[in-house]
Amino acid sequence: MHEPIFIELYALGEKYCVLRKNDILAAFGNNAGAAAENDWQTACEFFSRFTDEGGICTVNLDTILDGNTLDYAKTTAVFLLFATMLKSGVMQKLPPQVAMQAMPYVAARTSAAEIHLAKYKRLDAFVSRTFDALQETEADDRSIDDIFAEITAEMPAVSSFATVRGQMRQNYLEFFGMLYERAQACADPAYAETVSAYMEALS
């Protein structure tokens, strides 16, 4: 995958602007953090299709806006581009028909964002409960195997973590790395094997 250095945006044969990663992330403010970085990494899966070896990405908006919102990487990329252009004022300069063609992508991405936010809340809640459970091994007489029986019973599906990108992916990988080390102390090797499946999905 080629991560673009510059994204040149064209519409109806005219060049409208050049964007960089920092321009796009800045459009979402200082509080966007890992979520914006995660979106950027997802968008790069689409941008790489139009990026040369020098890192120049050439996107013809009127060509790519074909109504296919099922491509999540593409939908995320279009959303990031138009959100950035809206903030910078470039959006107002685009041909109206091109701006209208972007609306289904913005709507689809907004709905997807709500779904992903709910998913990340569930994943983070599991991480929080796991840390609480591990601390209990020092506070009561339950064995580490008993604690891991409780943890693995509440684990989200492996596939829930497989689609995570960017810094969030690294954070979850470090969490499961820690959990794997703790699972090594269990008498039942199945717990470590269970945790390793999550590490593989995130690697």
Side-chain angles (χ1 to χ4, degrees):
M1 182 177 74
H2 294 296
E3 182 172 337
I5 299 173
F6 297 104
I7 303 173
E8 299 180 344
L9 296 180
Y10 292 80
L12 302 178
E14 182 177 345
K15 185 176 180 179
Y16 279 87
C17 67
V18 177
L19 300 176
R20 297 168 299 172
K21 174 182 178 180
N22 288 344
D23 298 325
I24 292 174
L25 296 185
F28 294 89
N30 296 328
N31 296 324
E37 179 67 32
N38 189 50
D39 279 345
W40 169 257
Q41 293 299 324
T42 299
C44 283
E45 296 176 17
F46 176 74
F47 290 142
S48 65
R49 304 173 199 174
F50 308 96
T51 304
D52 62 25
E53 293 183 357
I56 306 301
C57 177
T58 303
V59 177
N60 293 293
L61 295 173
D62 49 306
T63 301
I64 68 166
L65 300 176
D66 58 3
N68 177 20
T69 59
L70 296 178
D71 184 335
Y72 183 65
K74 176 180 179 177
T75 299
T76 301
V78 172
F79 173 78
L80 293 183
L81 292 177
F82 276 82
T84 304
M85 286 190 289
L86 180 63
K87 188 175 181 66
S88 65
V90 175
M91 182 86 158
Q92 299 174 355
K93 302 176 183 178
L94 289 176
Q97 65 268 38
V98 174
M100 288 300 295
Q101 283 178 286
M103 292 305 102
Y105 295 90
V106 174
R109 179 60 183 82
T110 301
S111 298
E114 295 174 353
I115 295 172
H116 279 272
L117 179 60
K119 183 185 83 168
Y120 287 131
K121 284 183 177 179
R122 291 195 301 272
L123 299 185
D124 287 343
F126 163 70
V127 171
S128 179
R129 290 195 304 271
T130 298
F131 276 119
D132 290 342
L134 290 174
Q135 290 177 350
E136 291 178 10
T137 60
E138 302 173 1
D140 60 30
D141 296 329
R142 289 196 298 165
S143 70
I144 188 68
D145 282 70
D146 290 338
I147 295 296
F148 265 87
E150 177 183 304
I151 290 172
T152 54
E154 296 186 1
M155 276 182 162
V158 174
S159 58
S160 298
F161 293 92
T163 56
V164 176
R165 296 287 184 273
Q167 186 58 46
M168 289 182 174
R169 191 179 190 89
Q170 182 60 34
N171 292 344
Y172 286 129
L173 183 58
E174 291 176 2
F175 163 73
F176 280 107
M178 175 279 298
L179 196 59
Y180 181 79
E181 291 182 4
R182 297 295 294 270
Q184 296 291 314
C186 293
D188 188 344
Y191 295 125
E193 293 173 3
T194 298
V195 175
S196 67
Y198 289 81
M199 295 175 66
E200 289 177 8
L202 289 162
S203 297

